[in-house]
Amino acid sequence: MNNIPAYNPASIEGKWQKHWDATNAFAAEASHDKPKFYGLVEFPYPSGAGMHVGHIKAYSGLEVVSRKRRMEGYNVLFPMGFDSFGLPAENYAIKTNTHPHVITTRNVEHFKDQMKQIGFSFDWSREISTSLPDYYKWTQWIFLKLFDHNLVFRAKTLVNYCPHCKVVLSNEDSQGGKCDVCHSDVVQLPKDVWYLRITEYADKLLEGLETVDYPESIKQQQVTWIGRSTGAFVDFTLDGIPEQLEIYTTRPDTLYGVTFMVMAPEHPLLDKYKEKITNWDAVEAYRDACAKKTEFERTQLQKDKTGVKLEGLAAVNPVNGKQIPIFIADYVMMGYGTGAIMAVPAHDQRDYEFAKKFGADIIQVIEGGDISVEAYTGDGKMINSDFLNAYDNKKDSIAAMIDFLAKKGIGRKGIQYKMKDWAFNRQRYWGEPIPLIHCPKCGTVGVPYDQLPLTLPDVENFEPGTDGQSPLARIESFVNCTCPKCGGPAKRETDTMPQWAGSSWYFLRFVDPHNDKAFASMDEMKYWMPVDWYNGGMEHVTRHLLYSRFWHRFLYDIGEVNTPEPYAKRSYQGLILGSDGEKMSKSKGNVVDPLDIVKQYGADTLRLYVLFMGDYTAAAPWNDDSVKGCRRFLDRVWRLMDMLNDGEGISKDLAFDVHSCIKKVSEDYEKMKFNTAIAAMMTLVNAFYAKGQVTRGELLALIQLLNPVAPHITEEINQLCKLSDAELIRAQWPKYDPAALVKDTVEVALQINGKVRGRMNVPASLTRDDAQAYFMDTEEVQKLIAGKNVKKLVFVPGRLVNIVVG
RNA sequence: GCCGGUGUGGCGGAAUUGGCAGACGCACCGCACUCAAAAUGCGGCGGGAAACCAUGCCGGUUCGAGUCCGGCCACCGGCACCA
């Protein structure tokens, strides 16, 4: 073809982006006739910094799958929105004295503009933003439903608190003892906070994992985080005190081996009976020392057990009536089980170390190991345990012991989780107001549903109060209200919801984003839900992914959604590291701005590169030279137009190359093996160059396969050469012809004793049975085995022949 | 400590699941085009003169091992005094 201009992404990309925008090209169809595909990528928090190359990679995976699905004839929902409540906007608001709403709106526009410059095929007609009243009305609505079903409660307990951000954090938000927002050390403080009873859903969240297509690593992480264990609660009587000390153990079968007890330093029973404790001074000193230890110090001192014996108090082992001492020690946590344990030094390593240090008895009750060296935690026959000595394995022993305890009324079967209830309030401004009212007469009352949304009032000062209260507490017109139940004067809750509230159900809003009667209609949900494929980061596995599964399962239980699980399939992308192999960060100066790449090479090159750079799920360092190589490939594709001849179909000599490429690309996109799919297309382009010309049919096949990755250049080539009547986004996904993949002869490797000694062409139809006769007759084989004794011949059709000689 | 994962050329990474290790790309080298350079096209590119040696290390199974089994080592991610 003559007069092909040079490839200039800057001009063609903007042109197609405008066209897609103007024609609403990627809007999901309202009709429910076609099979559907709901592809979801995690909507971003619209930070002031704009998009990161990590966003590009995170979205590009399902971008490719979604574009392929449209070409395959599916009705595709591939939406985008913004998780726009959150601390960074609020902190920036405080710094610049600008309303967070203004900042957020500006950032959202910036993000959207950038996403459009990359050419993502999002359905912008369904855009949502969690900080808009139309949206958070329904976040509040779901919260009230949780409240109505007794899944919201208020409790004063030790909470994770970030002194820098001045907020209470959930357990999930303070992993590793660091604040998720600012990475300061989190401290433990007693505070009155709202909780969502996610632990109530622990078993359902575990069971649900068995029904979904998630990678094993994600399932494992959630299972570990939930941390379910089974065992028993046992009551120990305390000498001279009317109250009993309840403990939790996973090894009730070792009850005869209990030689002391340990309580957490924060255990409430201590204060209650402090006059009975004769060494209270020592106890108090120890508690103070513990309270001062940071999370870091506590983990560092893991091996070195500390504690104080309680003088004046003793416990009684309920199975044998023996009196045993009680200690307090910080290796027992108030936040797990009952905050007290029965110590069995013979069969628990921590108890063993404590016993060695504090001189407690060690009584073996399970056979095995060598308890003069360490605790024996394995299975075995019960010994020194009265009538229970009959049992010779853990499972039976535990069952028998629980049965025994239950009959005597001193113990019961129990289940514990490491996961804790979700601390659900923040003492900050930029979040969903919690729709609850405190009435002196009626207690806590929900805001009536018909009064939603409870809108966030304007304030002048976004700074949190010094008393740890939200800025909302300073607005009297907001705080003072009437009780919906009794009509008397009441006060509003002034805390807001945490960052993760809005994202816990956003996938539901996308199916029906403009509905003002419900968060989404059942009709739309029945068609679109569940999300067919959800891609996102590993960092969300124990937060967003867990929280949203919890909300969705709750909505299912109360009949508001149609599926128990929100996401049928989940995948994740690997990090993009800086070119130095380190995590990208401003301070290291290794951050790549995606828009710089767009300016220099074009959006198609950027898209191609993030998918070609390596295994999609693995971390890989950025490499500017490789970006150039991707641009070079697109230049080569562009110049195929110079080689175009008049042929319409696929020429015979290239049929194998074209059809095997169609097969490979079609399969690899589905497996997110984008790097090898692109490699296959590069190989095909190399074959076109080797031949020096390409037919219209061959070029069309290539640009259709490439379209999901590089939509602009391929649409432009199609338009310039008029290869297909329709735009590629409407064209049909190419199908390979299996007949074209069959060859008459195939090359196989010729091995002697497993070592390659040559290659030869053999008929593709050659079977294992005919192999012996065929190969022994050939010159090549005769030459190689001359004078040797052939013991065996192994033939793998299409691959190799191995002759074993002695 | 427990759970999950990774380890292959100078680099990013392939390898149809036990069958020709190093696809594809980058970097590099050579040739062509050019006064020259860039760009582009074509070719080469694990090591070794070769026999051979090479997929973190040691052993095993097999006609054949990057892939399976046993034992180590290193790194990454998650959990962690969870009773």
Side-chain angles (χ1 to χ4, degrees):
Chain A
M1 239 176 108
N2 298 322
N3 305 321
I4 296 298
Y7 173 44
N8 179 11
S11 64
I12 66 176
E13 288 178 354
K15 171 187 136 188
W16 284 101
Q17 286 158 11
K18 263 183 221 138
H19 172 70
W20 293 331
D21 228 18
T23 55
N24 228 349
F26 306 111
E29 295 165 34
S31 151
H32 292 180
D33 297 340
K34 288 185 186 174
K36 64 97 180 181
F37 176 76
Y38 185 177
L40 184 68
V41 291
E42 289 171 345
F43 66 161
Y45 174 76
S47 76
M51 288 228 280
H52 182 271
V53 283
H55 289 117
I56 312 294
K57 187 174 174 187
Y59 305 153
S60 291
L62 288 188
E63 157 78 357
V64 167
V65 175
S66 294
R67 281 185 179 263
K68 175 168 180 266
R69 285 285 182 284
R70 288 189 195 97
M71 293 167 85
E72 288 171 330
Y74 285 82
N75 185 9
V76 171
L77 174 54
F78 188 48
M80 183 42 76
F82 298 93
D83 192 12
S84 47
F85 270 135
L87 265 181
E90 181 166 347
N91 288 338
Y92 191 72
I94 292 168
K95 215 164 83 184
T96 60
N97 200 29
T98 318
H99 197 288
H101 176 70
V102 174
I103 295 161
T104 301
T105 308
R106 194 198 295 151
N107 289 352
V108 162
E109 285 312 310
H110 186 216
F111 259 74
K112 217 161 112 180
D113 179 58
Q114 291 191 326
M115 285 177 184
K116 286 183 179 180
Q117 286 190 55
I118 311 294
F120 287 124
S121 64
F122 296 130
D123 178 354
W124 288 109
S125 71
R126 292 175 185 244
E127 178 189 352
I128 57 174
S129 194
T130 56
S131 62
L132 296 176
D134 277 359
Y135 182 89
Y136 69 69
K137 168 180 178 176
W138 299 107
T139 309
Q140 291 171 329
W141 186 92
I142 297 169
F143 177 88
L144 282 176
K145 285 286 173 192
L146 287 160
F147 180 75
D148 288 347
H149 287 82
N150 195 29
L151 291 167
V152 178
F153 70 100
R154 195 166 172 85
K156 183 163 190 162
T157 51
L158 278 182
V159 298
N160 303 299
Y161 183 79
C162 173
H164 181 257
C165 299
K166 297 179 187 161
V167 286
V168 171
L169 297 171
S170 70
N171 230 29
E172 287 77 14
D173 272 334
S174 45
Q175 296 182 26
K178 304 277 182 197
C179 167
D180 185 59
V181 177
C182 71
H183 303 105
S184 315
D185 278 334
V186 168
V187 297
Q188 309 274 314
L189 288 180
K191 262 192 188 297
D192 218 2
V193 300
W194 290 109
Y195 285 97
L196 296 192
R197 250 185 254 279
I198 189 171
T199 51
E200 193 100 335
Y201 273 74
D203 283 338
K204 284 176 177 173
L205 291 171
L206 283 173
E207 285 156 19
L209 284 177
E210 283 158 33
T211 68
V212 291
D213 179 12
Y214 290 10
E216 200 49 38
S217 53
I218 292 181
K219 288 189 183 182
Q220 275 300 330
Q221 254 189 62
Q222 291 208 343
V223 168
T224 307
W225 186 256
I226 293 168
R228 184 183 201 269
S229 81
T230 56
F233 290 102
V234 186
D235 304 322
F236 282 67
T237 47
L238 299 175
D239 266 352
I241 289 174
E243 212 156 326
Q244 294 190 314
L245 181 58
E246 188 188 38
I247 61 93
Y248 173 73
T249 178
T250 55
R251 294 295 304 272
D253 56 321
T254 62
L255 198 43
Y256 280 90
V258 174
T259 56
F260 59 99
M261 301 195 74
V262 186
M263 293 163 82
E266 305 87 1
H267 202 286
L269 224 53
L270 292 170
D271 280 310
K272 204 165 167 188
Y273 296 103
K274 70 179 185 185
E275 72 284 354
K276 297 266 183 189
I277 301 167
T278 56
N279 61 336
W280 183 251
D281 286 353
V283 168
E284 231 177 2
Y286 182 73
R287 292 170 90 185
D288 287 349
C290 290
K292 278 193 197 121
K293 278 187 200 168
T294 64
E295 200 79 25
F296 178 75
E297 284 168 326
R298 272 175 90 142
T299 43
Q300 287 308 294
L301 298 169
Q302 240 182 64
K303 290 282 166 305
D304 191 23
K305 298 279 178 295
T306 61
V308 173
K309 188 178 172 190
L310 299 181
E311 304 290 349
L313 267 191
V316 178
N317 186 334
V319 289
N320 58 16
K322 276 190 193 159
Q323 206 187 58
I324 50 175
I326 307 172
F327 293 83
I328 59 168
D330 67 357
Y331 82 88
V332 173
M333 309 288 141
M334 197 56 228
Y336 183 79
T338 63
I341 62 158
M342 61 179 215
V344 187
H347 304 293
D348 182 288
Q349 189 57 26
R350 292 152 303 178
D351 297 345
Y352 186 87
E353 285 159 20
F354 193 87
K356 283 279 177 195
K357 188 164 171 187
F358 289 84
D361 295 340
I362 300 174
I363 301 173
Q364 183 161 16
V365 293
I366 305 289
E367 220 166 48
D370 178 3
I371 64 155
S372 66
V373 182
E374 60 181 4
Y376 175 66
T377 56
D379 208 347
K381 184 176 167 14
M382 283 179 90
I383 52 173
N384 302 325
S385 303
D386 286 351
F387 68 98
L388 290 163
N389 289 347
Y391 297 98
D392 60 7
N393 68 74
K394 222 193 259 189
K395 197 170 159 257
D396 292 344
S397 307
I398 290 173
M401 182 61 95
I402 290 176
D403 196 44
F404 173 67
L405 291 170
K407 271 184 192 138
K408 289 192 74 174
I410 51 172
R412 62 217 73 89
K413 207 171 178 170
I415 298 166
Q416 284 293 299
Y417 304 93
K418 289 184 195 170
M419 181 172 69
K420 293 179 185 161
D421 281 322
W422 178 6
F424 198 73
N425 49 327
R426 303 290 179 266
Q427 299 67 42
R428 288 297 202 127
Y429 173 71
W430 194 232
E432 301 87 348
I434 291 179
L436 293 178
I437 289 166
H438 303 281
C439 171
K441 272 192 220 157
C442 311
T444 305
V445 183
V447 169
Y449 287 93
D450 60 11
Q451 287 177 27
L452 296 180
L454 172 60
T455 50
L456 192 57
D458 267 336
V459 297
E460 276 165 21
N461 178 3
F462 310 107
E463 200 90 45
T466 45
D467 49 358
Q469 282 204 306
S470 151
L472 295 181
R474 291 192 291 260
I475 307 175
E476 292 199 359
S477 58
F478 176 78
V479 174
N480 295 318
C481 61
T482 52
C483 171
K485 250 191 194 164
C486 69
K491 291 194 184 300
R492 285 191 195 281
E493 171 63 46
T494 57
D495 281 0
T496 55
M497 297 189 202
Q499 173 76 82
W500 308 100
S503 60
S504 290
W505 70 281
Y506 77 114
F507 45 90
L508 291 168
R509 190 61 176 169
F510 280 136
V511 311
D512 195 8
H514 310 296
N515 194 327
D516 59 1
K517 304 279 185 298
F519 60 83
S521 77
M522 193 48 96
D523 194 38
E524 292 297 326
M525 286 192 282
K526 278 187 175 157
Y527 177 64
W528 287 112
M529 290 298 290
V531 172
D532 294 286
W533 195 339
Y534 190 19
N535 186 71
M538 277 310 276
E539 70 275 18
H540 290 130
V541 169
T542 51
R543 282 178 298 187
H544 162 63
L545 204 59
L546 205 54
Y547 292 153
S548 58
R549 288 184 57 225
F550 162 45
W551 277 35
H552 194 265
R553 182 58 204 249
F554 163 69
L555 290 171
Y556 175 74
D557 287 349
I558 63 168
E560 295 289 344
V561 300
N562 60 315
T563 62
E565 286 289 332
Y567 322 117
K569 174 175 179 164
R570 168 80 180 191
S571 57
Y572 62 94
Q573 74 283 344
L575 281 181
I576 297 182
L577 305 171
S579 48
D580 53 1
E582 301 287 319
K583 207 172 160 175
M584 280 192 191
S585 76
K586 266 189 214 156
S587 58
K588 289 201 194 88
N590 59 357
V591 177
V592 177
D593 182 341
L595 273 297
D596 286 348
I597 305 300
V598 171
K599 269 184 215 123
Q600 205 175 344
Y601 301 103
D604 282 335
T605 297
L606 174 63
R607 298 166 58 115
L608 184 71
Y609 175 65
V610 297
L611 294 174
F612 184 63
M613 64 191 298
D615 180 339
Y616 189 68
T617 62
W622 186 269
N623 184 323
D624 282 319
D625 283 328
S626 285
V627 179
K628 255 185 268 176
C630 287
R631 169 59 192 262
R632 197 174 298 159
F633 169 65
L634 292 181
D635 280 319
R636 274 165 78 80
V637 170
W638 184 262
R639 282 196 305 272
L640 284 172
M641 287 192 282
D642 294 331
M643 298 182 191
L644 195 60
N645 64 29
D646 293 333
E648 286 297 333
I650 290 163
S651 47
K652 252 195 194 134
D653 56 335
L654 285 175
F656 180 83
D657 302 72
V658 173
H659 286 285
S660 57
C661 184
I662 294 172
K663 182 169 191 280
K664 177 82 177 151
V665 172
S666 301
E667 290 170 357
D668 281 0
Y669 281 172
E670 295 302 322
K671 293 184 279 189
M672 291 196 137
K673 298 190 73 163
F674 305 111
N675 54 340
T676 49
I678 292 164
M681 290 186 279
M682 288 171 167
T683 306
L684 183 60
V685 170
N686 290 345
F688 290 159
Y689 270 75
K691 189 179 174 186
Q693 48 178 305
V694 62
T695 67
R696 299 168 55 78
E698 288 156 4
L699 183 56
L700 177 61
L702 172 75
I703 62 171
Q704 280 184 298
L705 296 175
L706 185 59
N707 178 262
V709 174
H712 311 89
I713 185 175
T714 47
E715 289 290 2
E716 186 70 15
I717 291 172
N718 183 45
Q719 194 179 58
L720 284 171
C721 302
K722 301 182 179 66
L723 296 172
S724 130
D725 298 336
E727 280 172 33
L728 293 180
I729 59 167
R730 308 268 172 247
Q732 230 179 31
W733 186 252
K735 285 200 175 71
Y736 69 90
D737 175 10
L741 301 180
V742 180
K743 286 182 158 180
D744 295 341
T745 62
V746 284
E747 192 189 65
V748 296
L750 177 53
Q751 295 185 341
I752 301 294
N753 285 349
K755 301 213 172 191
V756 181
R757 289 292 179 245
R759 321 208 136 150
M760 51 192 294
N761 282 307
V762 303
S765 58
L766 187 67
T767 64
R768 279 197 165 84
D769 292 341
D770 304 333
Q772 179 95 22
Y774 180 88
F775 284 107
M776 297 318 285
D777 224 28
T778 62
E779 215 178 301
E780 292 97 324
V781 172
Q782 281 304 324
K783 222 187 284 171
L784 285 163
I785 61 169
K788 286 170 188 144
N789 182 18
V790 175
K791 283 185 175 162
K792 192 176 170 184
L793 184 142
V794 183
F795 175 57
V796 184
R799 308 219 55 98
L800 56 77
V801 57
N802 185 19
I803 298 163
V804 186
V805 297

